[in-house]
Amino acid sequence: QLQESGPGLVKPSETLSLSCTVSGASIKSYYWSWIRQAPGKGLEWIAYIYYDGITNYSPSLKSRVTISVDTSKNQVFLNLSSVTAADTAVYYCARRREYCAGGSCFLSFDPWGQGTLVTVSS
Amino acid sequence: EIVLTQSPGTLSLSPGERATLSCRASQGVKSAYLAWYQQKPGQAPRLLIYGASRRATGIPDRFSGSGSGTDFTLSISALEPEDFAVYYCQQYGTSFTFGPGTKVDIK
């Protein structure tokens, strides 16, 4: 189970900071990701991380995003700097699911948290 | 970055009808890295299909996926009332991308 938390309102030019608490699984066992969805729009992948520091970022957001984990708290974090109104979205935490069978490994996102709405406004 | 295009944008069908949703990639996608999700209003997306054709746990067999290379399809054999939703495809190349979605609504 995944639960996102953080401020619902962030001012333009400031840094958006969110946390995702993972329960029912060790954070060391999987990769974890952040995905967002602007109001009425589609899904946008932001980044993923493994507990040992392996990360991958969306090319379009890479310069502003930092993803991190705290293994002692079983939490994943997202920092997005210099936010604008275009960063207003529901932010989801999701497990990057890698399932291997028959010589192939399959990638998807499952499960997802319920999401948290972040509005960027002064 | 691989761009995914989904068509149609909206599909208006009646319960019991068959739905066929298309996902086209700007370059070849490894089938193992192609997935489909269902999203209902106010809810997080739910994994339906992974590896282009493998149903996720608990997904009814009326949902099926097919395709390879740049062309993938999600089919719903006979729409149930709970299937009216938005469907997204997703791929992984060097980064993840999602398609813009297909809304399946009631005719």
Side-chain angles (χ1 to χ4, degrees), chain A residues 48-86:
Chain A
Y48 69 68
I49 187 168
Y50 193 54
Y51 80 97
D52 63 356
I54 294 173
T55 57
N56 190 2
Y57 293 98
S58 165
S60 64
L61 294 170
K62 186 173 184 176
S63 63
R64 298 194 292 129
V65 173
T66 304
I67 189 171
S68 59
V69 297
D70 183 331
T71 56
S72 68
K73 295 181 179 178
N74 234 36
Q75 289 182 315
V76 187
F77 303 98
L78 175 71
N79 279 348
L80 178 64
S81 64
S82 305
V83 298
T84 69

Short mmCIF file of all heavy atoms in Angstrom, two decimals, chain A residues 48-86:
data_model
loop_
_atom_site.label_atom_id
_atom_site.label_comp_id
_atom_site.label_asym_id
_atom_site.label_seq_id
_atom_site.Cartn_x
_atom_site.Cartn_y
_atom_site.Cartn_z
N TYR A 48 12.09 7.37 -11.28
CA TYR A 48 12.05 6.22 -10.41
C TYR A 48 13.38 6.08 -9.67
O TYR A 48 14.39 6.69 -10.06
CB TYR A 48 11.69 4.93 -11.14
CG TYR A 48 12.70 4.36 -12.12
CD1 TYR A 48 13.92 3.85 -11.72
CD2 TYR A 48 12.39 4.29 -13.48
CE1 TYR A 48 14.83 3.31 -12.63
CE2 TYR A 48 13.28 3.75 -14.40
CZ TYR A 48 14.49 3.27 -13.97
OH TYR A 48 15.38 2.73 -14.87
N ILE A 49 13.34 5.28 -8.58
CA ILE A 49 14.54 5.11 -7.75
C ILE A 49 14.57 3.71 -7.17
O ILE A 49 13.52 3.11 -6.91
CB ILE A 49 14.57 6.16 -6.62
CG1 ILE A 49 15.90 6.10 -5.86
CG2 ILE A 49 13.38 5.98 -5.65
CD1 ILE A 49 16.12 7.29 -4.93
N TYR A 50 15.78 3.19 -6.97
CA TYR A 50 16.02 1.99 -6.21
C TYR A 50 16.74 2.41 -4.94
O TYR A 50 17.43 3.43 -4.92
CB TYR A 50 16.84 0.99 -7.03
CG TYR A 50 16.88 -0.41 -6.48
CD1 TYR A 50 15.71 -1.10 -6.20
CD2 TYR A 50 18.10 -1.05 -6.25
CE1 TYR A 50 15.76 -2.39 -5.71
CE2 TYR A 50 18.16 -2.34 -5.75
CZ TYR A 50 16.97 -3.00 -5.49
OH TYR A 50 17.02 -4.29 -5.00
N TYR A 51 16.59 1.61 -3.88
CA TYR A 51 17.09 2.05 -2.58
C TYR A 51 18.60 2.30 -2.57
O TYR A 51 19.11 3.08 -1.76
CB TYR A 51 16.74 1.02 -1.51
CG TYR A 51 17.66 -0.17 -1.47
CD1 TYR A 51 18.71 -0.22 -0.57
CD2 TYR A 51 17.51 -1.24 -2.36
CE1 TYR A 51 19.57 -1.30 -0.52
CE2 TYR A 51 18.35 -2.32 -2.33
CZ TYR A 51 19.39 -2.36 -1.42
OH TYR A 51 20.24 -3.43 -1.39
N ASP A 52 19.31 1.66 -3.52
CA ASP A 52 20.77 1.79 -3.51
C ASP A 52 21.23 3.03 -4.25
O ASP A 52 22.44 3.26 -4.38
CB ASP A 52 21.43 0.55 -4.12
CG ASP A 52 21.08 0.35 -5.59
OD1 ASP A 52 20.28 1.13 -6.12
OD2 ASP A 52 21.61 -0.61 -6.18
N GLY A 53 20.27 3.83 -4.72
CA GLY A 53 20.63 5.10 -5.35
C GLY A 53 20.45 5.14 -6.85
O GLY A 53 20.62 6.20 -7.46
N ILE A 54 20.13 4.01 -7.46
CA ILE A 54 19.87 4.03 -8.91
C ILE A 54 18.63 4.88 -9.18
O ILE A 54 17.59 4.69 -8.55
CB ILE A 54 19.63 2.61 -9.44
CG1 ILE A 54 20.89 1.77 -9.33
CG2 ILE A 54 19.14 2.65 -10.89
CD1 ILE A 54 20.69 0.31 -9.68
N THR A 55 18.76 5.84 -10.09
CA THR A 55 17.64 6.70 -10.42
C THR A 55 17.52 6.85 -11.93
O THR A 55 18.47 6.60 -12.67
CB THR A 55 17.80 8.11 -9.81
OG1 THR A 55 19.04 8.67 -10.27
CG2 THR A 55 17.78 8.08 -8.29
N ASN A 56 16.33 7.25 -12.35
CA ASN A 56 16.09 7.58 -13.75
C ASN A 56 15.04 8.68 -13.76
O ASN A 56 14.04 8.58 -13.04
CB ASN A 56 15.60 6.36 -14.53
CG ASN A 56 15.58 6.58 -16.04
OD1 ASN A 56 15.97 7.64 -16.52
ND2 ASN A 56 15.13 5.59 -16.78
N TYR A 57 15.30 9.72 -14.53
CA TYR A 57 14.42 10.88 -14.54
C TYR A 57 13.85 11.12 -15.93
O TYR A 57 14.51 10.86 -16.95
CB TYR A 57 15.18 12.13 -14.11
CG TYR A 57 15.62 12.13 -12.66
CD1 TYR A 57 16.91 11.77 -12.30
CD2 TYR A 57 14.75 12.50 -11.65
CE1 TYR A 57 17.33 11.77 -10.98
CE2 TYR A 57 15.14 12.52 -10.33
CZ TYR A 57 16.43 12.15 -9.99
OH TYR A 57 16.83 12.16 -8.68
N SER A 58 12.65 11.67 -15.95
CA SER A 58 12.08 12.13 -17.21
C SER A 58 12.99 13.21 -17.79
O SER A 58 13.37 14.15 -17.09
CB SER A 58 10.69 12.71 -16.96
OG SER A 58 10.26 13.46 -18.08
N PRO A 59 13.32 13.10 -19.07
CA PRO A 59 14.19 14.11 -19.67
C PRO A 59 13.63 15.52 -19.55
O PRO A 59 14.39 16.48 -19.38
CB PRO A 59 14.28 13.67 -21.14
CG PRO A 59 14.02 12.21 -21.12
CD PRO A 59 13.01 12.02 -20.02
N SER A 60 12.32 15.64 -19.62
CA SER A 60 11.71 16.98 -19.59
C SER A 60 11.69 17.60 -18.21
O SER A 60 11.53 18.81 -18.07
CB SER A 60 10.27 16.90 -20.14
OG SER A 60 9.46 16.10 -19.31
N LEU A 61 11.87 16.81 -17.17
CA LEU A 61 11.81 17.33 -15.79
C LEU A 61 13.13 17.19 -15.06
O LEU A 61 13.28 17.70 -13.93
CB LEU A 61 10.72 16.61 -15.01
CG LEU A 61 9.29 16.85 -15.49
CD1 LEU A 61 8.33 15.88 -14.80
CD2 LEU A 61 8.87 18.29 -15.22
N LYS A 62 14.09 16.52 -15.67
CA LYS A 62 15.32 16.13 -14.99
C LYS A 62 16.03 17.26 -14.27
O LYS A 62 16.56 17.09 -13.16
CB LYS A 62 16.27 15.49 -16.01
CG LYS A 62 17.52 14.90 -15.43
CD LYS A 62 18.31 14.15 -16.49
CE LYS A 62 19.52 13.48 -15.86
NZ LYS A 62 20.26 12.65 -16.86
N SER A 63 16.02 18.45 -14.86
CA SER A 63 16.77 19.56 -14.28
C SER A 63 16.15 20.08 -13.00
O SER A 63 16.80 20.80 -12.23
CB SER A 63 16.87 20.71 -15.30
OG SER A 63 15.58 21.21 -15.61
N ARG A 64 14.89 19.72 -12.74
CA ARG A 64 14.19 20.28 -11.56
C ARG A 64 13.81 19.24 -10.52
O ARG A 64 13.28 19.58 -9.47
CB ARG A 64 12.92 21.01 -12.02
CG ARG A 64 13.16 22.19 -12.93
CD ARG A 64 11.90 23.05 -13.04
NE ARG A 64 10.83 22.39 -13.75
CZ ARG A 64 9.58 22.28 -13.28
NH1 ARG A 64 9.27 22.77 -12.10
NH2 ARG A 64 8.64 21.69 -14.01
N VAL A 65 14.04 17.97 -10.81
CA VAL A 65 13.51 16.89 -9.96
C VAL A 65 14.63 16.18 -9.20
O VAL A 65 15.70 15.92 -9.74
CB VAL A 65 12.76 15.85 -10.82
CG1 VAL A 65 12.36 14.65 -9.98
CG2 VAL A 65 11.54 16.49 -11.46
N THR A 66 14.31 15.86 -7.94
CA THR A 66 15.15 14.95 -7.16
C THR A 66 14.25 13.93 -6.50
O THR A 66 13.26 14.29 -5.86
CB THR A 66 15.94 15.70 -6.07
OG1 THR A 66 16.72 16.74 -6.66
CG2 THR A 66 16.85 14.74 -5.33
N ILE A 67 14.58 12.66 -6.68
CA ILE A 67 13.86 11.57 -6.02
C ILE A 67 14.82 10.91 -5.03
O ILE A 67 16.02 10.77 -5.33
CB ILE A 67 13.30 10.55 -7.05
CG1 ILE A 67 12.37 9.54 -6.39
CG2 ILE A 67 14.41 9.87 -7.81
CD1 ILE A 67 11.62 8.64 -7.38
N SER A 68 14.31 10.54 -3.88
CA SER A 68 15.17 9.94 -2.85
C SER A 68 14.36 8.98 -2.00
O SER A 68 13.13 8.94 -2.10
CB SER A 68 15.80 11.02 -1.97
OG SER A 68 14.81 11.80 -1.35
N VAL A 69 15.05 8.19 -1.18
CA VAL A 69 14.37 7.26 -0.28
C VAL A 69 14.97 7.35 1.11
O VAL A 69 16.13 7.76 1.29
CB VAL A 69 14.47 5.79 -0.78
CG1 VAL A 69 13.78 5.61 -2.10
CG2 VAL A 69 15.91 5.33 -0.83
N ASP A 70 14.17 6.97 2.09
CA ASP A 70 14.64 6.79 3.47
C ASP A 70 14.26 5.36 3.85
O ASP A 70 13.08 5.08 4.12
CB ASP A 70 13.98 7.81 4.39
CG ASP A 70 14.50 7.72 5.83
OD1 ASP A 70 14.89 6.60 6.25
OD2 ASP A 70 14.50 8.73 6.53
N THR A 71 15.23 4.48 3.83
CA THR A 71 14.91 3.07 4.08
C THR A 71 14.47 2.83 5.51
O THR A 71 13.69 1.91 5.78
CB THR A 71 16.12 2.18 3.75
OG1 THR A 71 17.25 2.63 4.51
CG2 THR A 71 16.44 2.24 2.26
N SER A 72 14.93 3.65 6.43
CA SER A 72 14.54 3.45 7.83
C SER A 72 13.07 3.77 8.05
O SER A 72 12.44 3.22 8.95
CB SER A 72 15.42 4.31 8.74
OG SER A 72 15.14 5.69 8.54
N LYS A 73 12.54 4.64 7.22
CA LYS A 73 11.13 5.03 7.36
C LYS A 73 10.26 4.40 6.27
O LYS A 73 9.05 4.61 6.26
CB LYS A 73 10.99 6.55 7.30
CG LYS A 73 11.66 7.28 8.46
CD LYS A 73 11.44 8.79 8.34
CE LYS A 73 12.08 9.52 9.50
NZ LYS A 73 11.92 10.99 9.39
N ASN A 74 10.88 3.64 5.38
CA ASN A 74 10.16 3.05 4.24
C ASN A 74 9.41 4.11 3.45
O ASN A 74 8.21 3.95 3.13
CB ASN A 74 9.19 1.95 4.73
CG ASN A 74 9.41 0.63 4.01
OD1 ASN A 74 10.54 0.26 3.69
ND2 ASN A 74 8.33 -0.09 3.74
N GLN A 75 10.08 5.20 3.14
CA GLN A 75 9.47 6.31 2.43
C GLN A 75 10.26 6.68 1.17
O GLN A 75 11.48 6.53 1.13
CB GLN A 75 9.36 7.55 3.33
CG GLN A 75 8.32 7.43 4.42
CD GLN A 75 8.23 8.70 5.25
OE1 GLN A 75 9.25 9.28 5.65
NE2 GLN A 75 7.01 9.14 5.52
N VAL A 76 9.52 7.20 0.21
CA VAL A 76 10.08 7.73 -1.03
C VAL A 76 9.73 9.21 -1.09
O VAL A 76 8.61 9.59 -0.71
CB VAL A 76 9.50 7.02 -2.27
CG1 VAL A 76 10.22 7.48 -3.55
CG2 VAL A 76 9.56 5.52 -2.12
N PHE A 77 10.64 10.03 -1.57
CA PHE A 77 10.43 11.47 -1.59
C PHE A 77 10.57 12.02 -3.00
O PHE A 77 11.30 11.50 -3.83
CB PHE A 77 11.44 12.16 -0.67
CG PHE A 77 11.39 11.66 0.75
CD1 PHE A 77 12.29 10.70 1.19
CD2 PHE A 77 10.43 12.12 1.62
CE1 PHE A 77 12.24 10.22 2.49
CE2 PHE A 77 10.36 11.65 2.93
CZ PHE A 77 11.27 10.69 3.35
N LEU A 78 9.87 13.14 -3.22
CA LEU A 78 9.97 13.86 -4.47
C LEU A 78 10.17 15.32 -4.17
O LEU A 78 9.42 15.91 -3.37
CB LEU A 78 8.70 13.68 -5.31
CG LEU A 78 8.65 14.50 -6.60
CD1 LEU A 78 9.63 13.94 -7.63
CD2 LEU A 78 7.24 14.54 -7.17
N ASN A 79 11.16 15.92 -4.78
CA ASN A 79 11.34 17.36 -4.75
C ASN A 79 11.32 17.88 -6.17
O ASN A 79 12.04 17.36 -7.04
CB ASN A 79 12.68 17.75 -4.10
CG ASN A 79 12.61 17.72 -2.59
OD1 ASN A 79 11.55 17.63 -2.00
ND2 ASN A 79 13.76 17.77 -1.96
N LEU A 80 10.49 18.88 -6.42
CA LEU A 80 10.40 19.52 -7.72
C LEU A 80 10.60 21.02 -7.52
O LEU A 80 9.77 21.66 -6.85
CB LEU A 80 9.05 19.23 -8.37
CG LEU A 80 8.79 19.86 -9.74
CD1 LEU A 80 9.75 19.31 -10.79
CD2 LEU A 80 7.34 19.62 -10.17
N SER A 81 11.66 21.55 -8.06
CA SER A 81 12.01 22.94 -7.79
C SER A 81 11.43 23.89 -8.83
O SER A 81 10.97 23.48 -9.90
CB SER A 81 13.54 23.09 -7.76
OG SER A 81 14.09 22.79 -9.04
N SER A 82 11.44 25.16 -8.49
CA SER A 82 11.03 26.24 -9.40
C SER A 82 9.69 25.95 -10.06
O SER A 82 9.55 26.02 -11.28
CB SER A 82 12.11 26.45 -10.47
OG SER A 82 13.37 26.70 -9.90
N VAL A 83 8.71 25.64 -9.25
CA VAL A 83 7.42 25.24 -9.79
C VAL A 83 6.67 26.42 -10.40
O VAL A 83 6.85 27.59 -10.01
CB VAL A 83 6.54 24.55 -8.74
CG1 VAL A 83 7.21 23.26 -8.25
CG2 VAL A 83 6.24 25.48 -7.56
N THR A 84 5.83 26.10 -11.37
CA THR A 84 4.92 27.06 -11.99
C THR A 84 3.52 26.44 -11.99
O THR A 84 3.34 25.28 -11.59
CB THR A 84 5.33 27.38 -13.43
OG1 THR A 84 5.10 26.22 -14.25
CG2 THR A 84 6.79 27.79 -13.53
N ALA A 85 2.57 27.19 -12.49
CA ALA A 85 1.19 26.69 -12.54
C ALA A 85 1.11 25.39 -13.36
O ALA A 85 0.22 24.56 -13.11
CB ALA A 85 0.27 27.74 -13.13
N ALA A 86 2.01 25.22 -14.29
CA ALA A 86 2.01 24.01 -15.11
C ALA A 86 2.34 22.74 -14.31
O ALA A 86 2.13 21.63 -14.81
CB ALA A 86 3.00 24.16 -16.26
#
